[in-house]
C-alpha cells in the first residue's frame, strides 16, 4: 500500500469514527425533549454526511469533483459544529460531552481545507 493509499484509508477510518461518535451521541440524548430531538437529528445528518462524502470523494473522477466533495465535507463538519454549539449553549448538554466532538470536527475541517487548497494548487 502506498503512502497516499494509507493516508486515504486513515481518513476513511477517522471520518467513520467521527460519524460513529455522532451516532452514539444521538442515541444518548433525551429525545423526549423536542429541541434535543430536532437539533440531534440535524447533527446526526451532518455528522454522518462527513464520512459519506469523504467516501464518495475517494472515488472522484476528476480533480474538480474531488475539490467539490472535499469542500462539501468541510461544510458538513462546520454545520456539525453549529448543532453541537447549540446543544451545548442552549440545551444544557455538557461541554464535557460536546467538546470532544466539536474538536474532532474542527480538526477535520482543517484537514479538508488543506486538502482542497493543495488540490487547487495542482490544477
Amino acid at each position: 500500500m502506498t503512502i497516499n493509499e494509507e493516508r486515504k484509508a486513515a481518513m476513511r477510518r477517522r471520518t467513520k469514527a467521527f460519524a460513529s461518535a455522532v451516532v452514539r451521541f444521538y442515541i444518548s440524548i433525551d429525545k423526549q425533549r423536542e429541541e434535543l430531538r430536532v437539533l440531534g437529528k440535524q447533527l446526526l445528518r451532518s455528522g454522518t454526511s462527513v464520512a459519506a462524502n469523504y467516501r464518495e470523494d475517494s472515488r472522484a473522477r476528476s480533480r474538480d469533483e474531488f475539490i467539490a466533495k472535499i469542500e462539501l465535507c468541510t461544510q458538513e463538519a462546520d454545520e456539525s459544529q453549529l448543532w453541537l454549539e447549540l446543544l451545548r449553549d442552549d440545551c444544557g448538554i455538557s461541554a464535557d460531552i460536546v467538546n470532544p466532538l466539536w474538536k474532532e470536527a474542527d480538526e477535520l475541517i482543517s484537514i479538508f481545507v488543506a486538502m482542497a487548497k493543495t488540490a487547487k494548487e495542482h490544477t
Side-chain angles (χ1 to χ4, degrees):
M1 186 179 280
T2 68
I3 291 174
N4 195 35
E5 290 170 334
E6 288 176 21
R7 286 184 185 148
K8 284 181 182 180
M11 277 302 292
R12 281 175 67 112
R13 288 189 302 273
R14 187 169 179 172
T15 57
K16 181 178 180 248
F18 177 70
S20 293
V22 166
V23 169
R24 287 190 304 276
F25 172 82
Y26 179 74
I27 289 168
S28 75
I29 63 174
D30 178 7
K31 286 169 275 311
Q32 299 297 326
R33 288 179 53 192
E34 182 70 6
E35 72 280 14
L36 293 181
R37 187 184 62 75
V38 170
L39 294 175
K41 273 207 162 170
Q42 291 289 86
L43 173 62
L44 185 63
R45 188 206 51 77
S46 63
T48 56
S49 184
V50 172
N53 282 299
Y54 185 78
R55 285 195 176 213
E56 286 180 32
D57 174 70
S58 66
R59 295 189 180 3
R61 295 176 299 255
S62 69
R63 187 169 305 279
D64 286 343
E65 187 178 349
F66 172 83
I67 292 167
K69 286 293 181 185
I70 281 295
E71 288 177 342
L72 187 54
C73 290
T74 305
Q75 292 168 355
E76 295 292 348
D78 184 60
E79 183 179 329
S80 296
Q81 285 185 314
L82 168 66
W83 305 128
L84 288 163
E85 289 167 15
L86 290 170
L87 287 159
R88 180 192 63 213
D89 299 344
D90 300 317
C91 299
I93 301 294
S94 168
D96 292 340
I97 296 168
V98 170
N99 289 350
L101 284 170
W102 193 95
K103 184 176 185 278
E104 178 61 5
D106 201 49
E107 290 178 14
L108 289 170
I109 289 168
S110 295
I111 293 166
F112 296 142
V113 167
M115 290 171 76
K117 182 180 177 192
T118 299
K120 287 175 185 177
E121 289 171 353
H122 292 101
T123 312

